[in-house]
Amino acid sequence: MSKPDHERLDRLVAEARRTREQREQGYRERALKIYPWICGRCAREFTHENVHQLTVHHRDHNHDHNPPDGSNWELLCLYCHEAEHSRLLDSAGRTGGGEGVSPATHQPFADLKSLLEGPK
């Protein structure tokens, strides 16, 4: 088994982060020009001093869907943006009747003893 190339992995992660930051800067700057600096949920107003706390939320949760008219964006403060994503995660897998998802049936350690004992 070969060892992972940590330098290569670090370069890939750094490149992915740079790409994401560049993409975010593009649509963030456009959204800040299009929309008033007000949170779309709590209506908190922002100024040049605190606009860094205003985020761009993608309504369809697809960060690559950035139409020029900004129709997939809304400006949310950090707190409302976090609440929106938490709400989405909390509701994942639930039906309208309030029923939860089916319990997991996979048993990852079911055959552990035989694996540890090895071939006989």
Side-chain angles (χ1 to χ4, degrees), residues 1-98:
M1 179 180 219
S2 65
K3 293 184 179 182
D5 183 354
H6 292 290
E7 289 179 16
R8 181 174 175 265
L9 292 173
D10 290 343
R11 283 192 308 272
L12 286 172
V13 169
E15 182 181 335
R17 286 183 179 156
R18 273 193 305 275
T19 302
R20 184 191 71 214
E21 288 170 3
Q22 288 172 348
R23 182 182 68 212
E24 287 175 353
Q25 283 301 314
Y27 66 71
R28 176 174 163 69
E29 293 305 316
R30 292 187 347 234
L32 291 174
K33 289 178 183 176
I34 293 172
Y35 294 111
W37 293 1
I38 299 171
C39 176
R41 300 289 162 86
C42 69
R44 177 178 167 199
E45 296 184 25
F46 292 82
T47 65
H48 285 283
E49 289 78 31
N50 64 356
V51 72
H52 63 275
Q53 297 176 0
L54 193 59
T55 64
V56 178
H57 174 65
H58 288 79
R59 291 182 173 134
D60 69 358
H61 300 277
N62 178 355
H63 290 191
D64 293 322
H65 181 213
N66 295 302
D69 65 354
S71 58
N72 188 37
W73 305 327
E74 63 181 328
L75 296 178
L76 300 177
C77 71
L78 294 171
Y79 307 106
C80 291
H81 198 181
E82 179 63 28
E84 173 64 21
H85 283 277
S86 294
R87 182 186 63 79
L88 180 71
L89 290 173
D90 288 344
S91 67
R94 295 187 183 157
T95 63

